[in-house]
Amino acid sequence: MRIDIVTLFPDMFPGPLGSGVVGRALERGTVEVTAHNLRDYAGDRHRQVDDIPYGGGPGMVLKPEPVFKAVRVLRGDDPPAAAPCGQLTPQGRRLDHALSVELAAHPRLILVAGRYEGFDERIRTGLADREVSIGDYILSGGELAAMVLVEVVARHVPGVLGDEDSASDDSFSSGLLEHPQYTRPPEFEGATVPEVLLSGNHELIRKWRHEMALERTRTRRPELLDGVGSQPGPAGKPASKEKSR
Ligand code: 6GU
C-alpha cells in the first residue's frame, strides 16, 4: 500500500511510524509512506499556502490552489477511487476500527494534513473524498492524526502483522475490549495469576478470557456490546496484540 501525505511539516515523518510494526513494514516496502511539502506546490515565489479568512477572524486559512495542485500531481493518472484523498480535520468522521478497514482496502491513499484555522471549504467540497478526525479534541495540525491513521490502516495490510497476530484477531475486530494478560512470575507482591491460566485447560482458558472480555466491555464500554455475539471466538485464537520488535 502506498500512502502520500501532504503537509507543511514533512520533517515530522516518518517519526514514530519508523519504529515497531509499521517501521518494519516501511523497511520491507509492504507499506510506503511519503511526506510531501505543501509549499512545493504553491504557485508564487513566496511559496504562500495560506491567507486571511474572508469575513474576518483570527488566524490564517489554507488556500485551495496548492492543495488541489499537490493532490492532482500525486494522484497522476490514478482514478480517485484508487487513490482517494483523505482530509484530516476535527470535523471529519471519527476514526474507528470499521473506517480503518475501509481505508485499508485502497491500494493508495493521499492524506492532507492542515494547520492554522483550517482549510478553505472548497478543498472539502471539490477535492477530498473523505474527511477524517481521530477524536473529539483539537490538535494544532493534522500530522499526528495522519500518523495515527497510517498506523491503524497499515495493520490491515497483508504482511504487516506476523501470521499469529493477524489484525482480524485483535480486540476491536471481535467488538470486545481485550481480556487481562499475565506473564511470569505467578506471584508478584502478593498478587497472583488466576488459577485457570495455569491449568493448561485451553477450553477453560478460552471461556475465561471471553468472560473477562465481556465483563470489561460491559463495565467500561457498554455501547460496544450492541450487536456483539456472546459466543467465544475460535479455539486457540484469543484476541491478541503484536509483539514488539
Ligand atoms: Cl484530523 N486534526 C486536528 N487538527 N485536530 C484533530 C484531528 C485532526 N482529529 C482530532 N483532532
Side-chain angles (χ1 to χ4, degrees):
M1 182 175 197
R2 168 179 169 187
I3 303 176
D4 293 287
I5 300 156
V6 178
T7 167
L8 285 168
F9 295 99
D11 292 349
M12 287 176 74
F13 294 86
L17 297 173
S19 303
V21 164
V22 178
R24 194 173 52 207
L26 295 178
E27 273 167 24
R28 290 176 177 168
T30 318
V31 177
E32 287 173 76
V33 174
T34 313
H36 307 269
N37 194 334
L38 178 60
R39 277 191 208 286
D40 294 345
Y41 299 90
D44 63 316
R45 66 188 172 87
H46 300 294
R47 311 221 299 164
Q48 190 182 350
V49 295
D50 58 336
D51 208 334
I52 55 175
Y54 275 120
M60 301 289 272
V61 175
L62 283 171
K63 292 162 64 64
E65 305 97 311
V67 180
F68 272 75
K69 179 83 185 293
V71 171
R72 283 173 176 158
V73 168
L74 292 171
R75 194 174 265 157
D77 292 329
D78 284 342
C85 171
Q87 188 182 359
L88 289 151
T89 82
Q91 292 84 39
R93 170 170 164 194
R94 186 140 32 121
L95 181 61
D96 62 6
H97 177 77
L99 180 53
S100 72
V101 171
E102 242 177 271
L103 292 172
H106 300 284
R108 298 186 55 184
L109 289 177
I110 302 171
L111 303 178
V112 184
R115 289 265 153 180
Y116 313 127
E117 296 309 303
F119 297 88
D120 183 286
E121 181 67 4
R122 290 164 291 187
I123 294 165
R124 186 182 71 76
T125 55
L127 182 70
D129 300 287
R130 301 176 169 273
E131 203 180 342
V132 180
S133 162
I134 64 162
D136 293 339
Y137 40 77
I138 300 295
L139 301 167
S140 305
E143 288 80 8
L144 289 174
M147 289 178 197
V148 168
L149 193 156
V150 169
E151 160 103 18
V152 299
V153 167
R155 293 172 54 84
H156 301 297
V157 174
V160 169
L161 297 185
D163 276 350
E164 71 272 42
D165 299 316
S166 96
S168 59
D169 289 344
D170 79 17
S171 168
F172 275 98
S173 248
S174 73
L176 297 177
L177 300 182
E178 183 116 30
H179 58 75
Q181 296 278 15
Y182 292 86
T183 185
R184 286 180 285 188
E187 191 211 311
F188 174 71
E189 297 186 354
T192 56
V193 174
E195 202 70 44
V196 60
L197 297 180
L198 311 175
S199 70
N201 185 331
H202 296 293
E203 183 57 20
L204 273 183
I205 291 170
R206 188 168 64 85
K207 283 186 175 148
W208 179 85
R209 285 179 166 165
H210 183 67
E211 272 314 310
M212 297 303 283
L214 264 180
E215 182 50 28
R216 276 198 164 175
T217 310
R218 233 183 332 256
T219 52
R220 301 182 189 189
R221 300 289 305 280
E223 78 280 9
L224 292 179
L225 286 174
D226 304 337
V228 170
S230 56
Q231 290 305 303
K237 282 283 189 179
S240 69
K241 288 280 174 283
E242 77 282 349
K243 289 155 196 69
S244 55
R245 276 185 111 176

